[in-house]
Amino acid sequence: MTQKPWIIGLDPWLQTPPGRYLLEWERQQFDRAVSDLFGFHAVQLGLPQLDTLACNRMPHRWVALSEASQLDTVPEPVAGCLPVPRALVSDFEALPFDTGSLDLVVLPHTLELAQDPHQTLREVDRVLVPGGRVVIAGFNPTSLWGLRQRYGRIALRLGFGSLFLPSGGDFIGYRRLRDWLQLLSLDIEAGRFGCYRPALRTEHWLERYAWMESAGDRWWPVFGAVYFLVAVKRVRGMRLVGPAWKTRQKPGAAPAVVAHPNKEGL
């Protein structure tokens, strides 16, 4: 079935001026967030066009793809960074990793494009080690871009107009995602919004509104086109217990100190 010209998928949308603008902002956020996270195993789920683990130092890194056809979209190595993660094809709702085996999982627009985002998030919680991190990026429905997308869907039902953002997926609001994380053992550690420029299609007009980046951070931070957050896995009630043979010794009585009077004072 041929895709209608007013409906666009994620891959071609990322090649448009607003798509490149989004990727550049998110690349900066991912590089900053993962560069100081340490461990042994890291996985990126989806969006191979953006190497979110490029500046991460973990020795074992993978990018999981939902389809084998996406293998050709894995980017080339970035100068000064580690090699591109190894690619694998996997079902995001049943990850091929042991429970508590990963130190970092990155979800660049993964949940909103997943068939079952709840199950995908549960899988992420399962494979993370205690203290492991998950980094998530997603479109913000309560933004200028989100309003433009909703208007486009209404217009399409009436037989005219077009969509501004990719047609696939269900955009998950920040508050909704925060509630999902609270139901699991994932606590939000850091978060921010970004991409405050209006829903414009040309690079020229996007550049003319570049001043809205700093203004948005200051005056309307929750209305950015995308949100970005880092959550850490907390295991409630877990205590580190020493070996059973190692008993704690009772402190002995302190020796008494006797003061001897000075002979000259007699």
Side-chain angles (χ1 to χ4, degrees):
M1 179 176 170
T2 304
Q3 181 171 281
K4 297 180 180 180
W6 56 82
I7 298 179
I8 187 170
L10 178 63
D11 291 346
W13 184 84
L14 292 174
Q15 301 174 16
T16 65
R20 294 194 297 268
Y21 159 56
L22 173 78
L23 282 180
E24 181 58 30
W25 184 86
E26 290 187 347
R27 180 178 290 108
Q28 296 176 8
Q29 308 308 313
F30 281 116
D31 288 348
R32 185 180 300 113
V34 306
S35 61
D36 294 330
L37 297 181
F38 299 98
F40 296 96
H41 305 93
V43 174
Q44 170 184 335
L45 302 184
L47 197 64
Q49 299 90 337
L50 177 61
D51 185 6
T52 64
L53 301 174
C55 293
N56 183 261
R57 300 179 179 88
M58 295 187 190
H60 306 290
R61 297 173 299 135
W62 298 271
V63 53
L65 311 174
S66 58
E67 300 177 0
S69 59
Q70 297 177 325
L71 291 171
D72 296 333
T73 60
V74 177
E76 297 295 328
V78 178
C81 294
L82 294 175
V84 171
R86 289 169 291 179
L88 59 92
V89 179
S90 170
D91 183 357
F92 295 167
E93 300 170 16
L95 297 175
F97 300 100
D98 294 335
T99 299
S101 61
L102 301 180
D103 301 283
L104 171 64
V105 180
V106 183
L107 306 177
H109 300 277
T110 307
L111 295 176
E112 58 203 13
L113 298 175
Q115 294 183 354
D116 189 346
H118 294 87
Q119 178 58 28
T120 300
L121 199 58
R122 283 192 291 267
E123 273 293 279
V124 171
D125 178 63
R126 179 186 68 82
V127 299
L128 277 176
V129 301
R133 262 76 174 180
V134 55
V135 184
I136 304 174
F139 287 109
N140 181 18
T142 56
S143 65
L144 294 177
W145 291 22
L147 291 174
R148 174 66 179 82
Q149 185 77 348
R150 284 198 292 273
Y151 170 79
R153 292 188 184 280
I154 295 174
L156 285 178
R157 296 193 192 100
L158 299 177
F160 65 95
S162 63
L163 297 179
F164 178 75
L165 295 172
S167 56
D170 178 23
F171 300 154
I172 302 170
Y174 178 81
R175 291 183 179 273
R176 181 180 170 195
L177 178 58
R178 185 180 63 182
D179 293 339
W180 290 3
L181 295 174
Q182 289 179 348
L183 294 176
L184 301 172
S185 54
L186 299 169
D187 294 340
I188 296 179
E189 190 175 53
R192 65 165 304 181
F193 293 81
C195 296
Y196 297 97
R197 305 180 196 187
L200 302 169
R201 298 185 184 274
T202 65
E203 187 173 357
H204 170 73
W205 283 103
L206 284 171
E207 288 298 324
R208 291 197 63 174
Y209 284 90
W211 59 270
M212 293 185 68
E213 294 296 331
S214 57
D217 271 335
R218 181 176 182 181
W219 298 109
W220 53 88
V222 297
F223 297 115
V226 293
Y227 56 78
F228 183 90
L229 62 86
V230 179
V232 58
K233 180 175 180 178
R234 309 287 189 191
V235 179
R236 275 78 174 180
M238 187 180 75
R239 293 177 54 189
L240 296 178
V241 181
W245 52 263
K246 189 176 181 181
T247 58
R248 185 176 179 181
Q249 296 181 354
K250 294 183 179 180
V257 179
V258 179
H260 295 280
N262 193 331
K263 292 183 179 180
E264 296 180 358
L266 293 177

